[in-house]
Amino acid sequence: MYADIILPVPLNITFTYRIPEQLEHRTVPGARVYVPFGKGRRLTGIVVRTHSVRPDGHTVKDILAVLDDVYLSVLPNQLKLMQWLRDYCMCTPGDVMKAALPSGLRPDSGANEHPYKPKTEIFVKPGEKLTNIESTDYSSLTGKTAVRQKEMLDKYVELSCLAENPLNPNPVTKKALLNACKSSSALNSLIGNGILELYELETGRLPEFGGHIQDPPQLSPAQQKAFAGIKDCFRTKNVCLLHGVTSSGKTEIYIHLIREHIAKGGQVLYLLPEIALTTQIMHRLQKVFGGDMCVYHSRCSENIRVEVWNRLTGPNPYKLILGARSAVMLPLQKLSLIIVDEEHEPSFKQEDPAPRYHGRNTAIMLASICGAKTLLGSATPSIESYSNAISGKYGLVTLEQRFRNIRLPLIDIVDTADLRRRKYMQGLFSPMLIEQIDNALSNGKQAILFHNRRGYSGTVECHDCGWVQKCDCCDVSLTFHKTTDSASCHYCGRRYKVPEACPSCGSKSLRKRGFGTERIEEEVSALFPKARVARLDLDSSKAGYESIISDFQEGLTDILIGTQMVSKGLDFDNVSVVGIIEADSIMSYPDFRATERAYQLMAQVAGRAGRKESQGTVIIQTRQPDAPVLEMVRRHDYKGFHKTQLQERLAFNYPPYSRLTIVTVKGTEQSSVEKTATNLAANLADLFGPDRVLGPDAPPVSKIQYRHIRRIIIKAGLDMATWTVRERINEAVSKTASTDSIAGISFSFDPDPQ
Ligand code: ADP
Ligand code: ZN
Ligand code: ZN
């Protein structure tokens, strides 16, 4: 007998090995096997098929061992999904295998023995002596730090909600506690006296659950109706879109649905665009589902991934899996529902490396393979999904009211060009925004300020000759960061010193143009010296975005400044004002999705205002107050926005009226990259028709890490089957390769680019 095996190597084939007799009964599709490969190398592969056809032309090696015993690592449904991913993404089986299987499950004789060290985080919990907070005897807090100890203990009780929930307090990190009460000696005394205790957990692991499961809150009548509507849809359709405005309680509806599916013995996969920012959701779910759930994403340690995987293939799998896009690759034995929350988010798309899949589309495929249902949820659905919903391909359920009928925020559009001319602007701030923030602060409320660029200033430029400081290896201008006093490349991360004088003309008048979140932070601190200000972006995040978010949630900070990271599904109770500092930079994205992204981003950021008590206010500052998209954001007019977008897309033949694939040509030598790309585009135009092929073009960043990049966009008609599209692209690439010398040049394919 022989087995066809997927191996993690960059070749577009499966490999055939002989099955030794004693391994025959265990070598079945989905089992992991250990095989020799090349000179003395050994690899783990996945069996996809067994048969009796001896491959000819070369010697066939033996499988060395079968690594799976009782439970298969890869389920039949997963094999089907992997096959689909490989075709859809035009990548190799090995690419898919590497993306799916945690490296801990695919030992390789070449690699050193998992040099992996888990990252941990330290948490605080009640110690032995803290038995009852009502009767805690504060006189036992002694020593020089007694007062601080009491403060700290009170803080801990507050942060953990210990009084309301003594058996199952919220997890509190040591860092968050010390941030709130800056005395490590007080903390040490509390620990020494057994009042508090520290424990360590791997980052990303769910803190142990105390076993106090609560029922979710009752749904409001409007939510109840949506809930029933979704279930009704699922009677006839496999996919349903829940279009619910921000803070309408979509998450609560998900929780009720999940409960029903689990009660019937099913598994639920809950996908979020960026798990890193969703500790909030995790805690909400954990209160209802306790130990039945797990979390899976790319920041999880290898240990956790292997653990989750093994538990899922075993006899007692988790019922609820909360994950980022990569969780679609998990082995799910009883999948019955997938929820894709914030389905419009571009971060569901995997950019690099292959497979360049879209988490939402893959989820829909996975559900259909498993006979499960998919619920897409968003306040600002993607143009494609909403189109599928109104055409009847998906079900559609709408929720137009916020929970408790709080009105959607009042949105004001402020013309900064005019204000600047009349000298009313104070730096980046209009008087309207300043007044709103002032109001919020004096009423004990909070504000969020959004800007889509981090760093201090956009570029460093010579005032005399126009020279711009750029990265040596990427074709992109640098961003100046004041905190590090250096200019950095946001593509490759390299840092540079800002020169004293212009290297091109020697002039000393270098100036910094544009601005980023660092500069906003500086100006805010000057305008509102009493306010406690925090910044959340990729620069600050490494130092602990979780504590930045929890501090803001607990009211320890007043103003939160941030990039996209503040727009994503965060639920703060006390934010009355949201400011968008410069809408122009959001609207100027060089892409056919520019307007869609601008609408989604602004509506989502705006949705952070006034969620719990009263209507919030949003100030959008812009130099183009007449831009049509702003008016639609102001009126919360999603339907109008969708309609105008469809007209534009139809006129230019973009999705949903066509299916896009981007072919990227890369190489170190610019002239040969250009020549190959031009030939390839001509070959593609022969096969698809000239008006369906755009390019080659240099993308906005046309060189990254010394490699030049050219892109060709293919707009295939909807009547052409996906596999025909793939076949034709392959044909054009082969033809190009046969006529050109393509040494050193690589091609990559991106289906449904975002
Ligand atoms: P969305 O996901 O639509 O943005 P959420 O589910 O986060 O909305 O709900 C917004 C806020 O209102 C949350 O704090 C949530 O706990 C609260 N909420 C929503 N529905 C209910 C309900 N039926 N009972 C109690 N609280 C609710
Ligand atoms: Zn100069
Ligand atoms: Zn660079």
Side-chain angles (χ1 to χ4, degrees):
M1 288 293 283
Y2 299 91
D4 293 345
I5 293 168
I6 302 177
L7 290 176
V9 296
L11 290 172
N12 203 6
I13 45 170
T14 53
F15 297 82
T16 306
Y17 285 80
R18 201 185 72 88
I19 309 173
E21 224 159 87
Q22 74 277 14
L23 296 181
E24 249 171 34
H25 63 290
R26 288 172 54 209
T27 309
V28 293
R32 290 177 303 137
V33 289
Y34 206 47
V35 297
F37 187 82
K39 286 194 214 84
R41 211 171 144 202
R42 285 159 183 210
L43 293 174
T44 301
I46 301 170
V47 178
V48 286
R49 193 169 79 95
T50 57
H51 54 86
S52 55
V53 189
R54 188 187 192 288
D56 44 31
H58 58 90
T59 51
V60 183
K61 293 183 191 162
D62 278 7
I63 291 174
L64 300 173
V66 179
L67 303 180
D68 289 337
D69 215 353
V70 186
Y71 304 108
L72 289 180
S73 283
V74 179
L75 308 175
N77 285 338
Q78 278 177 290
L79 285 179
K80 283 191 200 150
L81 186 76
M82 288 170 78
Q83 171 77 39
W84 176 80
L85 273 171
R86 173 196 136 171
D87 294 342
Y88 165 70
C89 298
M90 305 183 69
C91 62
T92 69
D95 287 332
V96 179
M97 174 182 169
K98 281 197 270 186
L101 210 60
S103 56
L105 286 176
R106 39 186 173 89
D108 166 353
S109 66
N112 15 4
E113 294 291 310
H114 303 297
Y116 163 74
K117 236 173 119 206
K119 274 205 199 98
T120 58
E121 197 163 16
I122 299 173
F123 288 83
V124 182
K125 67 177 179 186
E128 265 172 28
K129 296 280 165 57
L130 187 65
T131 42
N132 181 347
I133 48 163
E134 253 85 275
S135 67
T136 298
D137 184 3
Y138 285 124
S139 66
S140 68
L141 306 176
T142 53
K144 269 186 278 179
T145 59
V147 179
R148 317 269 349 225
Q149 286 181 50
K150 179 174 179 317
E151 271 173 33
M152 181 163 280
L153 186 56
D154 287 345
K155 197 78 219 171
Y156 172 73
V157 171
E158 181 196 324
L159 293 179
S160 63
C161 301
L162 189 65
E164 299 85 43
N165 218 347
L167 287 177
N168 182 28
N170 291 338
V172 175
T173 61
K174 180 180 169 193
K175 197 150 137 209
L177 188 58
L178 283 175
N179 253 341
C181 264
K182 298 190 173 33
S183 169
S184 31
S185 51
L187 180 59
N188 289 338
S189 309
L190 287 169
I191 293 165
N193 294 327
I195 294 174
L196 292 180
E197 206 174 298
L198 297 182
Y199 64 105
E200 209 171 342
L201 277 181
E202 269 180 48
T203 311
R205 192 178 291 256
L206 287 179
E208 231 171 83
F209 190 72
H212 223 67
I213 289 180
Q214 298 164 12
D215 278 343
Q218 283 223 319
L219 296 178
S220 70
Q223 292 169 344
Q224 189 64 46
K225 199 167 151 232
F227 179 60
I230 294 167
K231 291 195 289 184
D232 212 39
C233 268
F234 283 153
R235 274 190 253 286
T236 52
K237 302 205 156 109
N238 288 327
V239 184
C240 178
L241 172 67
L242 172 61
H243 177 209
V245 295
T246 52
S247 206
S248 54
K250 294 185 289 300
T251 315
E252 299 298 342
I253 294 176
Y254 302 156
I255 290 174
H256 282 259
L257 268 178
I258 297 169
R259 275 221 312 183
E260 287 200 356
H261 279 261
I262 291 181
K264 287 188 200 136
Q267 276 178 308
V268 180
L269 177 62
Y270 186 143
L271 296 177
L272 287 160
E274 242 148 300
I275 202 90
L277 294 165
T278 35
T279 343
Q280 277 192 335
I281 297 255
M282 190 179 89
H283 291 150
R284 266 168 90 175
L285 294 172
Q286 215 181 10
K287 282 196 183 125
V288 183
F289 301 104
D292 277 346
M293 65 179 282
C294 69
V295 177
Y296 190 85
H297 52 83
S298 59
R299 277 175 65 249
C300 281
S301 73
E302 201 53 43
N303 286 3
I304 293 182
R305 291 216 240 183
V306 171
E307 214 177 279
V308 167
W309 192 286
N310 285 338
R311 172 91 178 258
L312 286 175
T313 51
N316 180 26
Y318 292 110
K319 314 265 173 35
L320 170 60
I321 298 96
L322 180 62
R325 60 171 183 255
S326 60
V328 295
M329 313 266 186
L330 284 170
L332 300 166
Q333 307 180 50
K334 294 193 172 158
L335 183 67
S336 79
L337 174 69
I338 306 184
I339 293 167
V340 184
D341 192 20
E342 311 287 356
E343 66 87 28
H344 64 279
E345 272 291 335
S347 48
F348 272 120
K349 182 71 201 284
Q350 158 104 359
E351 293 297 346
D352 264 314
R356 296 179 179 80
Y357 62 103
H358 196 298
R360 173 191 65 222
N361 302 353
T362 310
I364 292 172
M365 180 46 73
L366 174 66
S368 95
I369 291 175
C370 298
K373 303 289 180 186
T374 309
L375 177 64
L376 310 177
S378 175
T380 53
S382 63
I383 297 291
E384 283 96 328
S385 295
Y386 198 74
S387 303
N388 281 330
I390 52 181
S391 78
K393 188 172 166 197
Y394 301 167
L396 176 63
V397 172
T398 19
L399 199 53
E400 281 170 359
Q401 286 172 348
R402 286 191 146 184
F403 178 60
R404 289 205 196 116
N405 272 336
I406 293 168
R407 285 199 287 161
L408 283 166
L410 204 66
I411 299 183
D412 240 341
I413 293 163
V414 170
D415 181 352
T416 50
D418 176 57
L419 290 167
R420 192 160 313 252
R421 237 181 343 260
R422 297 194 282 135
K423 307 241 179 314
Y424 281 125
M425 291 292 284
Q426 293 191 44
L428 303 169
F429 288 80
S430 62
M432 298 78 175
L433 182 52
I434 294 177
E435 189 192 328
Q436 289 295 340
I437 299 176
D438 254 334
N439 276 344
L441 296 177
S442 51
N443 291 321
K445 299 280 181 183
Q446 293 168 299
I448 291 181
L449 299 176
F450 170 85
H451 186 58
N452 62 349
R453 178 161 202 134
R454 65 196 162 96
Y456 187 81
S457 68
T459 53
V460 180
E461 275 185 28
C462 171
H463 190 60
D464 293 322
C465 74
W467 169 85
V468 174
Q469 191 176 16
K470 287 190 166 183
C471 177
D472 291 343
C473 27
C474 313
D475 177 32
V476 66
S477 55
L478 303 178
T479 300
F480 178 68
H481 290 246
K482 201 167 186 177
T483 39
T484 54
D485 190 27
S486 63
S488 77
C489 171
H490 285 184
Y491 281 83
C492 70
R494 280 185 177 72
R495 275 199 199 156
Y496 301 81
K497 274 191 91 66
V498 175
E500 299 272 315
C502 170
S504 163
C505 74
S507 159
K508 292 255 164 118
S509 51
L510 294 182
R511 58 177 184 182
K512 306 192 171 83
R513 295 215 6 188
F515 63 93
T517 45
E518 264 184 39
R519 173 139 156 237
I520 298 173
E521 186 179 17
E522 188 179 275
E523 291 196 8
V524 166
S525 304
L527 286 168
F528 306 99
K530 287 203 201 105
R532 294 162 299 175
V533 179
R535 175 161 57 85
L536 182 69
D537 57 29
L538 278 177
D539 295 317
S540 57
S541 66
K542 285 160 206 136
Y545 45 72
E546 268 175 32
S547 66
I548 295 175
I549 291 173
S550 63
D551 283 359
F552 190 64
Q553 185 165 20
E554 278 139 24
L556 301 175
T557 40
D558 305 307
I559 303 178
L560 181 64
I561 299 159
T563 53
Q564 269 77 337
M565 293 168 94
V566 297
S567 73
K568 296 205 171 118
L570 293 170
D571 183 28
F572 298 117
D573 297 351
N574 200 31
V575 175
S576 67
V577 185
V578 164
I580 295 179
I581 304 292
E582 191 194 53
D584 311 84
S585 57
I586 303 171
M587 298 188 290
S588 65
Y589 206 65
D591 186 86
F592 76 96
R593 284 189 216 273
T595 312
E596 180 181 0
R597 293 284 173 257
Y599 183 91
Q600 288 164 342
L601 194 53
M602 287 191 267
Q604 293 285 348
V605 178
R608 303 308 115 204
R611 287 171 75 86
K612 272 289 167 67
E613 278 157 21
S614 50
Q615 190 181 24
T617 306
V618 178
I619 304 278
I620 301 182
Q621 303 193 140
T622 175
R623 295 188 299 275
Q624 317 157 58
D626 299 327
V629 64
L630 291 176
E631 182 55 18
M632 292 185 279
V633 172
R634 196 182 66 74
R635 292 202 316 253
H636 306 285
D637 182 13
Y638 177 83
K639 282 185 194 147
F641 149 76
H642 181 259
K643 210 165 143 195
T644 55
Q645 274 305 290
L646 279 191
Q647 287 160 358
E648 251 176 60
R649 304 270 180 104
L650 181 62
F652 297 98
N653 206 5
Y654 274 114
Y657 299 103
S658 66
R659 196 173 288 127
L660 296 192
T661 307
I662 292 185
V663 181
T664 304
V665 184
K666 280 189 198 170
T668 46
E669 211 182 295
Q670 187 171 344
S671 59
S672 63
V673 171
E674 261 164 19
K675 184 161 162 275
T676 309
T678 308
N679 287 346
L680 178 58
N683 290 334
L684 286 165
D686 283 346
L687 293 168
F688 287 93
D691 52 343
R692 295 207 171 267
V693 177
L694 297 180
D697 284 328
V701 179
S702 64
K703 186 176 87 175
I704 295 178
Q705 297 272 34
Y706 298 109
R707 286 164 68 81
H708 295 272
I709 306 166
R710 292 295 178 271
R711 283 192 321 193
I712 302 164
I713 299 178
I714 302 161
K715 297 182 193 171
L718 295 179
D719 51 349
M720 189 183 278
T722 323
W723 66 268
T724 316
V725 176
R726 306 286 173 261
E727 226 167 40
R728 292 197 181 169
I729 295 175
N730 279 329
E731 194 183 327
V733 170
S734 313
K735 190 165 171 210
T736 311
S738 68
T739 50
D740 281 13
S741 139
I742 54 160
I745 287 188
S746 64
F747 300 96
S748 60
F749 309 96
D750 188 2
D752 299 335
Q754 290 299 300

